[in-house]
Amino acid sequence: MPQLILIRHGQSQWNLENRFTGWWDVDVTEKGAAEAWAAGELMKAKGIAPDVGFTSVQTRAIKTMNLALEAMGRLWLPVTKDWHLNERHYGGLTGLDKAETAAKHGDDQVKIWRRSFDVPPPPLDPGSPWDLSHDPRYAGIAVPATESLKDTIARVLPYYESAIVPELKAGKTVLVSAHGNSLRALVKHLSGISDADITGLEIPTGQPIVYDLAADLTPGERYYLSER
Ligand SMILES: O=C(O)[C@H](O)COP(=O)(O)O
């Protein structure tokens, strides 16, 4: 039967520094790389053998995918990298320290920016050092100035339906290595979480989340692989 494994990238350098990251491209830390490797070893130990992988075009997710696959002895697997799985764009918050931002704007406002359904962070200023509009990986793509979770869902779900669902319909085991909020977008859909309840969903780094799906792709209860 089809199986979908979701993993948020291992700890990134800006996770360690507690900075808003979004589309900015940062690497995993040594700890994050170890998390990714351990996730691969866990999947192997539990007998999970992905047939195909999908990830974003951001280094932290790509490296997590590669390290996990290498730990499983499956680095040969076909992996698709696509911007539609990128982290939510954090707009004008990109690069800022999360604690300093909370001190300036208040915890409640930062919680709204980080976890609400449809309130985006302030837009990135044109000419900002975090402007990615000239990054070659986004050639021909309208890089957003900011994204709410609703905006992120609007790009993640169509990609899931067009690229990932066909593999699941073929009965494959699919591994997705992505980001906290692009995965919150997917989990909201798969687990039928309301716009109000999604504010409470957190996704930890490097912990494989499993959906066993029926032949018609109805998802079962999601679970952490480490808990089964
Ligand atoms: O983009 C980021 O800053 C992190 O990857 C996710 O941040 P958040 O947990 O504050 O949404």
Side-chain angles (χ1 to χ4, degrees), residues 8-9 15 19-22 87 90 98 114-115 181:
R8 178 182 175 195
H9 59 80
N15 290 158
R19 297 172 72 180
F20 289 103
T21 318
E87 176 58 287
Y90 256 114
K98 295 180 183 181
R114 290 185 66 201
R115 292 292 176 263
N181 292 293

Side-chain angles (χ1 to χ4, degrees), residues 2-228:
Q3 195 174 53
L4 178 63
I5 320 291
L6 308 177
I7 183 168
R8 178 182 175 195
H9 59 80
Q11 183 195 63
S12 76
Q13 187 55 39
W14 279 17
N15 290 158
L16 180 63
E17 297 173 20
N18 201 31
R19 297 172 72 180
F20 289 103
T21 318
W23 281 39
W24 196 249
D25 202 22
V26 297
D27 203 346
V28 289
T29 60
E30 280 189 27
K31 178 185 176 187
E35 286 176 340
W37 188 271
E41 289 183 321
L42 177 64
M43 285 187 271
K44 184 176 182 179
K46 298 282 187 175
I48 289 183
D51 301 297
V52 64
F54 293 87
T55 188
S56 70
V57 294
Q58 296 183 274
T59 298
R60 56 196 189 270
I62 296 166
K63 279 199 176 178
T64 297
M65 172 68 79
N66 291 344
L67 286 163
L69 290 178
E70 185 175 359
M72 283 187 264
R74 300 177 80 84
L75 201 50
W76 48 268
L77 213 62
V79 173
T80 302
K81 303 178 183 75
D82 195 292
W83 68 273
H84 288 88
L85 293 175
N86 273 19
E87 176 58 287
R88 163 258 292 287
H89 195 297
Y90 256 114
L93 299 182
T94 305
L96 297 181
D97 178 286
K98 295 180 183 181
E100 290 171 1
T101 306
K104 181 176 181 182
H105 295 282
D107 289 338
D108 291 347
Q109 176 61 75
V110 170
K111 170 89 173 176
I112 290 168
W113 282 329
R114 290 185 66 201
R115 292 292 176 263
S116 71
F117 172 62
D118 58 2
V119 177
L124 189 68
D125 291 331
S128 159
W130 318 116
D131 177 9
L132 289 164
S133 52
H134 300 296
D135 186 303
R137 83 192 82 182
Y138 301 120
I141 291 165
V143 176
T146 186
E147 287 181 306
S148 64
L149 182 65
K150 184 179 180 182
D151 298 325
T152 308
I153 289 170
R155 61 171 160 87
V156 168
L157 281 198
Y159 183 76
Y160 170 74
E161 297 293 345
S162 65
I164 297 173
V165 162
E167 301 290 354
L168 293 169
K169 281 183 176 172
K172 293 183 182 177
T173 296
V174 177
L175 177 59
V176 176
S177 172
H179 305 262
N181 292 293
S182 55
L183 291 177
R184 287 177 72 234
L186 194 47
V187 168
K188 182 178 191 295
H189 168 69
L190 294 169
S191 294
I193 300 174
S194 70
D195 297 355
D197 290 345
I198 193 62
T199 59
L201 179 66
E202 296 287 341
I203 294 184
T205 54
Q207 294 296 324
I209 296 169
V210 182
Y211 282 96
D212 296 313
L213 299 109
D216 67 356
L217 299 195
T218 303
E221 283 299 307
R222 74 180 184 278
Y223 58 90
Y224 285 104
L225 189 58
S226 60
E227 295 173 356
R228 290 281 176 101

